[in-house]
Amino acid sequence: MTRTVGEIADLVLDRAAGAARFVVAIAGPPGSGKSTLADALHAELAGRGETSAVLPMDGFHMDNGILEERGLLKRKGAPETFDVRGFLDIVTAVRRGGEEVLVPVFDRAREIAIASARPISPETRFILAEGNYLLLDEAPWTRLAPLFDLTIFVGPTYAVLEERLRQRWIHYGLDEEAIRWKLYGNDLPNGERICNGSRPADVMLEVFEQP
């Protein structure tokens, strides 16, 4: 299914009628366009006079030092390499509202998460959480389920994901050997795990179109 950002915003506003705080989960495999959709939806809501904030799951990557100690550095980006409890705590605090919440942001160029890098105001109505594993039907990720008011899954075809991810790593200056490992040793296996093991979403998209 394809929907425009405007159509998705219509659905969000309809579902959120009367709610002071509404949390949307945007999930999907690496390279699916989750962050692009989250940013586009944020802009669309702003254009309609609504307040929103993007909450990226990537800010909860475990530090490289911890991953190295655990033998997981090469698998960075797999479900086991995230601070799920920390993410759960932040989403719970954001959903509760009533106070400012500072959230971390991932710097992909340096491969590190920066703590307290983005504030979410108590007046912000819509929280757009985005990340690979928000709907993963595996513990401890299943603990997130009650925190989302609306769920969206973006899942392009394997070929589209493969090309998008290749271009991502070319952009970051990786050589062909490193790109091959990133694609077939980590990103695409993670993507298959997400596509095959996620709970059904309220909205299932193959791609989305700008209005």
Side-chain angles (χ1 to χ4, degrees):
M1 177 187 293
T2 61
R3 294 196 186 196
T4 67
V5 175
E7 289 171 337
I8 296 170
D10 288 341
L11 177 62
V12 169
L13 291 169
D14 181 64
R15 292 285 188 92
R21 168 88 21 121
F22 192 84
V23 183
V24 180
I26 302 174
S32 61
K34 301 178 301 298
S35 60
T36 302
L37 174 55
D39 290 342
L41 184 55
H42 170 69
E44 178 71 20
L45 290 170
R48 301 187 187 201
E50 297 286 352
T51 55
S52 67
V54 177
L55 173 56
M57 187 200 77
D58 272 357
F60 296 83
H61 277 285
M62 292 181 187
D63 185 74
N64 286 355
I66 293 176
L67 295 178
E68 190 165 16
E69 288 177 2
R70 298 181 181 184
L72 290 171
L73 186 56
K74 285 189 174 182
R75 294 286 287 127
K76 187 171 184 175
E80 298 78 18
T81 66
F82 285 90
D83 175 15
V84 185
R85 190 197 63 78
F87 185 63
L88 179 68
D89 287 348
I90 288 289
V91 177
T92 300
V94 166
R95 181 177 177 81
R96 185 185 305 120
E99 62 181 352
E100 180 181 72
V101 179
L102 297 174
V103 304
V105 174
F106 189 65
D107 184 336
R108 188 171 295 280
R110 293 187 289 166
E111 286 286 308
I112 59 172
I114 303 171
S116 303
R118 180 179 296 169
I120 295 180
S121 163
E123 289 78 31
T124 300
R125 186 181 183 202
F126 293 99
I127 308 301
L128 311 177
E130 64 93 1
N132 298 339
Y133 304 113
L134 303 189
L135 301 181
L136 191 64
D137 198 16
E138 298 178 18
W141 296 94
T142 48
R143 295 170 62 193
L144 292 167
L147 301 176
F148 302 134
D149 299 301
L150 179 73
T151 56
I152 301 171
F153 189 88
V154 188
T157 64
Y158 183 94
V160 169
L161 289 175
E162 184 178 34
E163 181 56 26
R164 286 182 180 176
L165 289 165
R166 177 176 295 279
Q167 292 305 316
R168 170 188 290 179
W169 296 123
I170 289 173
H171 172 75
Y172 284 104
L174 274 63
D175 61 28
E176 184 56 35
E177 183 178 353
I179 290 172
R180 191 161 48 248
W181 162 253
K182 285 284 192 181
L183 285 176
Y184 305 110
N186 198 34
D187 286 349
L188 291 172
N190 289 339
E192 289 181 335
R193 185 173 175 182
I194 293 161
C195 289
N196 296 330
S198 291
R199 300 184 306 280
D202 298 314
V203 179
M204 300 288 291
L205 302 175
E206 181 174 314
V207 294
F208 76 95
E209 301 171 353
Q210 294 285 358

